[in-house]
Amino acid sequence: MKNSMTQFAELRKIAEDLIKDSGHTKKNIHVNDLGKMIHELDVYRIELEIQNEHLRESEAQRETSERRFYELFEFAPIGYVVLNKDTSIEQMNAACAECFKSSKQTLNHLRLNSIVMPPFENFMKPFLMALHHKEKQTAEVQLARGKEIFWAQLIFGIWEEDKNTPKILCAIRDISREKEFQIELKNHKDHLEELVKNRTAELELSNTLLQKEIEARKQSEQLISASLKEKEILLTELERAKEQAEKANQAKSIFLSNMSHEIRTPMNAIIGISKLLLEMNHLPEQKKYLNIINSAADNLLAIINEILDLSKIEAKKMDFDYHHVDVVQIINDIENMLYPLAHHKGIELICEKDNQLPIIQADPVRLKQILLNLTNNAVKFTDSGVVHIEVFVEKQTDTHCSLCFSVKDTGIGIPKEKIEFLFQPFLQLSDHRTKKFQGTGLGLVICKNLVQMMGGTIHFENREPHGARFWCVIPFEKGSIQHHIDFIDYAENQSNIPKNLRILVAEDNPFNQEVIKTFLKNHQITLVHNGKQAVDLLETNVFDLILMDIQMPEMDGISATQIIRDKHSKVLNHDIPIIAMTAYSMKEDRDLCLKSGMNGYISKPITSKNFSQELLRIFTGKSDVTSTIHETLPRHPESQLNLTTLMRTVNNNMTSVLKIINLFINTTCPQYMTDIKYAIDNHDADKLAKSAHKLKGSIGYFSDVGKELAYKLELVGKQNELSTAAKLYDELKTEVDKISPLLIEFIKQHKAE
């Protein structure tokens, strides 16, 4: 490129000199021709410059391309090698060196065919084809890698670096793993083919045997057909026998329950009279016989009570009456009851309890029954040593706690062969022929069932012949000291409440009817659906008490009460006690009920305790009506399902609880929610107030949040201010949607139990 430019410059210099000399010499050169030549030379110069620029760009691109190619070649993940005609290595990349586990310096100029394992034609044939025919060829050969042999895939392609001395570009890939897999696959295939072959032979043999068996079965089908009819008859008889057995078992439980009740009445009379006779003056021999009668009667009554408890458990009619209970007092009572027996046997009775144990919500009678039974067994089966009672908190939160009750003795322990019978009814650990210890064998069975019904677990540890330990862990909801004091006062006044009252209940809500029927099961109740029906019934019948709902169709509770109190009406008893039942909870609502002539007031949700307080106040004058009134609803209740009120109201009767929940989620709640939505959509404030009021009395048994929202909707309807009704309805629906699946799950769990 530089030579061309130099020549061009020299030519231009000569031309310019000729032009200068043309005026001074006699040379026959025309000036115009020289100028034209110079112009053409300039054009040629420009073209040369353009060509030079293109050449420079091409050179730069070639250098870039070569650099990129080198980078691709050098850093490619697959091994590449450039081979000469004699298969010697001209050049290779890092991946190729790594494939051979060596360095480039070691491998350069090595002939590749020198490390190829036989047969060599697998390598040379595709190599020569690529070299002479310039076609891509592939080969799979074994190569030496030091002392190691590996399989490699070679892909040959022509390398056009020098047409006179062509070279081969070869890609090398280690395929040892693939070959191993292929060998394994082939072996597996061969194995499968062998298995198929063997299995086919087995199937052919089986088919032959099957054909023979089919022939044999055809011969026996007639016999089987005849036996099937006999089997159907037998199954029918078994099903009938099963039903009869279940009915018999149920009848047994009912019979035991009824007989226990029937026997307890005369037994109580015998015990009472024998105790009275013991207080009189008698001859020593007479007193001895009276003591025998009294002791035998006490033992018989204890047996009857255990049989009655077992029959209740089997019939799933065991009720729990929850109150605020002091555990320390229960342990003290048990210690006082069993101390004389322990002292008489020379046994040390130790009661270890934390005086800071929380007040719990429990059935004190059933809890004491569990602990008394375990402790009494320990004393009974211990002739010397110690019976140790311990109570402690296993875990607790702000609202709940789990208590562990442990009874440990140094008695005879439990024989290993008797452990499996430990919690079976009517079975005792001692031999009946040499029976030393009295009892029915029901105590532990009843304890286990009571603990499980309270949500706890019972355990034992055998240390034969050095005693045994029984303990149970039971969860409780925490109570309060004040409620415990109230319960003591309440319990003292229960004896003053009349029993078996004739009660007229005026209530239109099926849900509330079911709740009322459950907690009034010890009284004679008559249900009516509105105030008019109540008034009509009172014109021909006499009752001891009326429970009167306020909001009812056709005639409300206030109007019905005014008619009952009217001396000119046809009602037989104008002074019959009337207790209001309503979801209203404000003071003015209570005052309205009392001014209309009612004697008492219970706000929904109704509890058996509130009802008993009202009965006590009305029939004895010992309570205060305001004790059952809630002035306002809580402002920020917890959004959580709460079945405590319902469980207490029905005395923990699970059958009634499940029936009431079913009625709420399938009938009552959907109906009232639909009525509320309809009232809001149609701007019917009066219907909204009434529907929300009815729902409030039902949902309050399950959710404080739902009760508050229903109460707010009721106020919105009463004040005829519906601007916030839709928002409140949405919040109420959210709460209903939240508790409904929890209630359904509760039903499933307890049905399974």
Side-chain angles (χ1 to χ4, degrees):
M1 189 187 302
K2 292 182 178 180
N3 292 335
S4 298
M5 293 301 295
T6 303
Q7 291 174 1
F8 174 79
E10 291 175 352
L11 288 173
R12 183 178 177 84
K13 180 78 168 55
I14 293 169
E16 288 176 350
D17 291 343
L18 288 173
I19 292 173
K20 290 179 182 179
D21 294 341
S22 63
H24 305 287
T25 66
K26 294 181 179 181
K27 292 180 181 178
N28 191 19
I29 299 175
H30 197 278
V31 175
N32 293 334
D33 291 338
L34 290 173
K36 182 178 179 181
M37 184 175 65
I38 292 172
H39 174 73
E40 290 176 354
L41 288 172
D42 285 337
V43 172
Y44 180 61
R45 178 184 59 79
I46 292 171
E47 290 176 352
L48 285 176
E49 288 179 354
I50 292 172
Q51 290 177 4
N52 288 338
E53 183 63 29
H54 288 165
L55 287 172
R56 282 193 296 272
E57 290 178 357
S58 297
E59 182 71 15
Q61 290 175 356
R62 186 184 66 79
E63 291 176 355
T64 301
S65 178
E66 287 180 352
R67 186 177 67 255
R68 289 178 178 173
F69 176 79
Y70 174 77
E71 290 175 351
L72 289 173
F73 177 84
E74 180 64 24
F75 300 112
I78 297 176
Y80 285 104
V81 60
V82 179
L83 302 175
N84 295 315
K85 291 190 298 182
D86 60 355
T87 74
S88 61
I89 297 174
E90 176 78 17
Q91 187 179 357
M92 70 173 61
N93 66 354
C96 182
E98 184 179 350
C99 179
F100 284 97
K101 298 182 180 178
S102 185
S103 64
K104 291 182 181 181
Q105 292 78 9
T106 304
L107 295 172
N108 272 339
H109 307 298
L110 174 73
R111 287 191 177 187
L112 191 59
N113 63 351
S114 66
I115 60 172
V116 175
M117 297 293 105
F120 299 108
E121 61 268 17
N122 288 349
F123 171 79
M124 292 306 299
K125 184 177 179 180
F127 174 79
L128 294 174
M129 288 285 290
L131 184 65
H132 297 302
H133 298 284
K134 300 181 180 180
E135 294 177 353
K136 186 180 79 170
Q137 298 293 324
T138 303
E140 290 185 358
V141 297
Q142 286 183 298
L143 300 177
R145 183 164 53 195
K147 295 182 180 180
E148 180 186 356
I149 305 297
F150 72 99
W151 276 97
Q153 183 188 57
L154 308 179
I155 301 175
F156 302 106
I158 196 68
W159 180 265
E160 295 289 352
E161 197 172 76
D162 188 346
K163 293 183 179 180
N164 297 322
T165 56
K167 294 180 176 59
I168 292 294
L169 176 65
C170 177
I172 301 177
R173 186 167 66 87
D174 187 341
I175 59 170
S176 299
R177 294 293 300 276
E178 295 177 18
K179 282 292 183 180
E180 291 174 3
F181 178 73
Q182 288 174 2
I183 293 171
E184 290 178 4
L185 189 62
K186 183 179 181 304
N187 292 337
H188 184 63
K189 180 182 176 183
D190 294 341
H191 178 64
L192 286 177
E193 288 177 352
E194 183 67 23
L195 288 177
V196 169
K197 181 180 177 181
N198 295 336
R199 184 59 177 160
T200 302
E202 291 175 0
L203 288 174
E204 289 175 353
L205 178 61
S206 298
N207 188 47
T208 303
L209 296 174
L210 183 61
Q211 292 298 328
K212 293 181 180 179
E213 187 178 347
I214 289 173
E215 292 298 326
R217 287 188 178 183
K218 284 181 179 178
Q219 296 175 3
S220 61
E221 277 183 355
Q222 293 179 349
L223 296 174
I224 294 174
S225 178
S227 64
L228 282 174
K229 292 181 180 179
E230 296 178 359
K231 184 178 179 181
E232 289 178 2
I233 296 172
L234 180 61
L235 287 174
T236 303
E237 292 177 352
L238 287 173
E239 188 66 29
R240 188 182 299 113
K242 178 186 174 185
E243 292 177 0
Q244 291 174 351
E246 290 175 349
K247 290 179 180 179
N249 187 52
Q250 186 177 7
K252 178 207 71 175
S253 296
I254 295 172
F255 172 77
L256 287 175
S257 177
N258 292 336
M259 287 304 300
S260 297
H261 280 295
E262 293 297 327
I263 296 173
R264 286 204 321 170
T265 301
M267 282 306 305
N268 284 326
I270 293 171
I271 292 172
I273 292 172
S274 65
K275 289 185 183 297
L276 289 174
L277 289 173
L278 282 170
E279 294 175 359
M280 300 178 183
N281 294 324
H282 296 284
L283 296 174
E285 189 173 2
Q286 292 175 326
K287 193 165 186 178
K288 171 185 174 183
Y289 292 143
L290 284 173
N291 281 322
I292 293 172
I293 292 172
N294 189 63
S295 176
D298 284 338
N299 290 335
L300 182 57
L301 185 60
I303 293 171
I304 292 168
N305 286 336
E306 286 187 342
I307 294 173
L308 177 60
D309 284 342
L310 182 63
S311 65
K312 284 182 178 180
I313 290 170
E314 289 181 343
K316 297 184 178 180
K317 292 184 178 180
M318 177 65 75
D319 295 335
F320 288 82
D321 189 11
Y322 283 86
H323 299 283
H324 295 258
V325 177
D326 183 0
V327 181
V328 175
Q329 184 59 51
I330 287 181
I331 300 301
N332 290 339
D333 290 345
I334 291 173
E335 184 179 15
N336 293 334
M337 293 169 67
L338 294 180
Y339 176 78
L341 177 59
H343 180 71
H344 176 72
K345 295 184 70 174
I347 301 169
E348 186 178 3
L349 181 62
I350 300 175
C351 292
E352 185 178 342
K353 71 269 184 187
D354 184 356
N355 290 324
Q356 300 301 317
L357 287 170
I359 299 296
I360 60 172
Q361 297 187 41
D363 185 329
V365 174
R366 296 305 176 191
L367 181 58
K368 187 180 293 185
Q369 181 179 359
I370 294 168
L371 301 180
L372 188 60
N373 191 292
L374 295 178
T375 310
N376 190 51
N377 280 349
V379 173
K380 182 167 64 174
F381 290 100
T382 301
D383 291 328
S384 62
V386 178
V387 172
H388 184 269
I389 307 172
E390 184 181 9
V391 185
F392 58 89
V393 177
E394 182 146 301
K395 61 180 179 179
Q396 66 176 324
T397 64
D398 292 339
T399 58
H400 293 77
C401 65
S402 291
L403 300 184
C404 180
F405 302 89
S406 171
V407 179
K408 182 169 60 176
D409 63 67
T410 57
I412 61 176
I414 305 167
K416 292 181 180 179
E417 66 274 10
K418 300 288 187 179
I419 289 177
E420 60 179 306
F421 306 114
L422 196 58
F423 292 103
Q424 293 187 21
F426 302 108
L427 292 175
Q428 291 187 312
L429 303 184
S430 58
D431 192 327
H432 68 281
R433 292 167 297 181
T434 58
K435 188 171 180 181
K436 176 182 178 182
F437 306 103
Q438 295 181 344
T440 60
L442 296 176
L444 284 178
V445 181
I446 293 172
C447 282
K448 180 180 179 180
N449 280 276
L450 290 177
V451 169
Q452 290 177 342
M453 292 172 74
M454 295 167 74
T457 55
I458 189 167
H459 315 270
F460 74 94
E461 178 187 4
N462 186 27
R463 299 180 297 156
E464 184 195 13
H466 304 295
R469 175 181 176 237
F470 285 81
W471 75 96
C472 55
V473 179
I474 306 176
F476 298 100
E477 187 177 347
K478 287 185 177 180
S480 68
I481 292 292
Q482 184 57 50
H483 284 95
H484 173 60
I485 296 171
D486 292 343
F487 164 64
I488 295 174
D489 296 337
Y490 164 75
E492 291 175 352
N493 290 321
Q494 285 299 295
S495 59
N496 298 319
I497 297 177
K499 304 294 190 298
N500 200 26
L501 293 173
R502 294 167 297 174
I503 302 175
L504 175 62
V505 179
E507 170 63 69
D508 65 310
N509 187 325
F511 177 86
N512 289 332
Q513 288 179 357
E514 196 62 41
V515 174
I516 292 166
K517 282 194 295 184
T518 302
F519 80 78
L520 292 183
K521 63 182 179 181
N522 294 324
H523 299 281
Q524 303 175 41
I525 66 169
T526 302
L527 280 168
V528 294
H529 295 83
N530 56 57
K532 185 176 185 307
Q533 292 178 357
V535 172
D536 292 342
L537 202 59
L538 289 168
E539 291 177 356
T540 55
N541 294 271
V542 176
F543 295 90
D544 299 314
L545 178 70
I546 300 174
L547 291 180
M548 184 78 74
D549 189 24
I550 300 302
Q551 277 198 0
M552 292 181 290
E554 195 166 351
M555 181 183 291
D556 60 49
I558 299 295
S559 301
T561 300
Q562 291 172 344
I563 294 174
I564 294 168
R565 296 295 185 236
D566 185 358
K567 301 296 183 182
H568 301 290
S569 68
K570 297 180 182 180
V571 172
L572 297 179
N573 182 7
H574 299 288
D575 299 320
I576 183 172
I578 302 174
I579 297 177
M581 300 184 301
T582 180
Y584 293 131
S585 56
M586 304 301 289
K587 184 176 182 299
E588 53 268 27
D589 299 318
R590 179 200 64 188
D591 293 342
L592 177 62
C593 293
L594 298 179
K595 286 179 181 178
S596 69
M598 295 183 178
N599 303 84
Y601 181 101
I602 304 175
S603 62
K604 298 176 183 178
I606 302 167
T607 66
S608 56
K609 181 179 178 181
N610 288 345
F611 174 70
S612 297
Q613 286 178 337
E614 281 299 273
L615 281 186
L616 188 67
R617 186 190 64 80
I618 290 172
F619 287 100
T620 67
K622 289 188 177 181
S623 184
D624 179 14
V625 68
T626 59
S627 64
T628 62
I629 304 301
H630 303 287
E631 291 295 336
T632 58
L633 288 166
R635 292 183 177 274
H636 300 288
E638 294 182 2
S639 178
Q640 185 179 359
L641 178 66
N642 184 359
L643 294 175
T644 304
T645 300
L646 179 60
M647 297 290 281
R648 289 178 185 166
T649 300
V650 300
N651 291 324
N652 208 44
N653 187 319
M654 192 54 65
T655 302
S656 298
V657 169
L658 297 179
K659 186 175 181 181
I660 290 167
I661 293 176
N662 262 315
L663 186 62
F664 174 77
I665 60 179
N666 294 319
T667 304
T668 307
C669 185
Q671 176 187 334
Y672 292 148
M673 289 295 289
T674 301
D675 292 344
I676 291 171
K677 184 70 167 61
Y678 177 85
I680 294 173
D681 292 343
N682 292 273
H683 305 287
D684 190 339
D686 183 59
K687 184 175 180 63
L688 174 61
K690 291 179 178 178
S691 300
H693 173 78
K694 290 179 179 179
L695 179 62
K696 182 176 67 174
S698 303
I699 200 172
Y701 285 102
F702 309 108
S703 168
D704 292 336
V705 171
K707 181 179 177 182
E708 181 179 10
L709 291 169
Y711 171 70
K712 289 180 179 178
L713 279 169
E714 180 186 0
L715 289 181
V716 165
K718 282 184 176 181
Q719 297 166 2
N720 199 15
E721 292 288 343
L722 305 185
S723 57
T724 61
K727 182 175 181 297
L728 288 172
Y729 172 81
D730 290 340
E731 293 178 8
L732 179 60
K733 188 174 185 305
T734 299
E735 181 65 15
V736 169
D737 292 342
K738 189 183 300 181
I739 65 172
S740 293
L742 299 177
L743 290 171
I744 293 171
E745 183 63 26
F746 181 86
I747 291 173
K748 289 180 181 177
Q749 289 178 354
H750 289 80
K751 273 189 176 179
E753 293 174 3

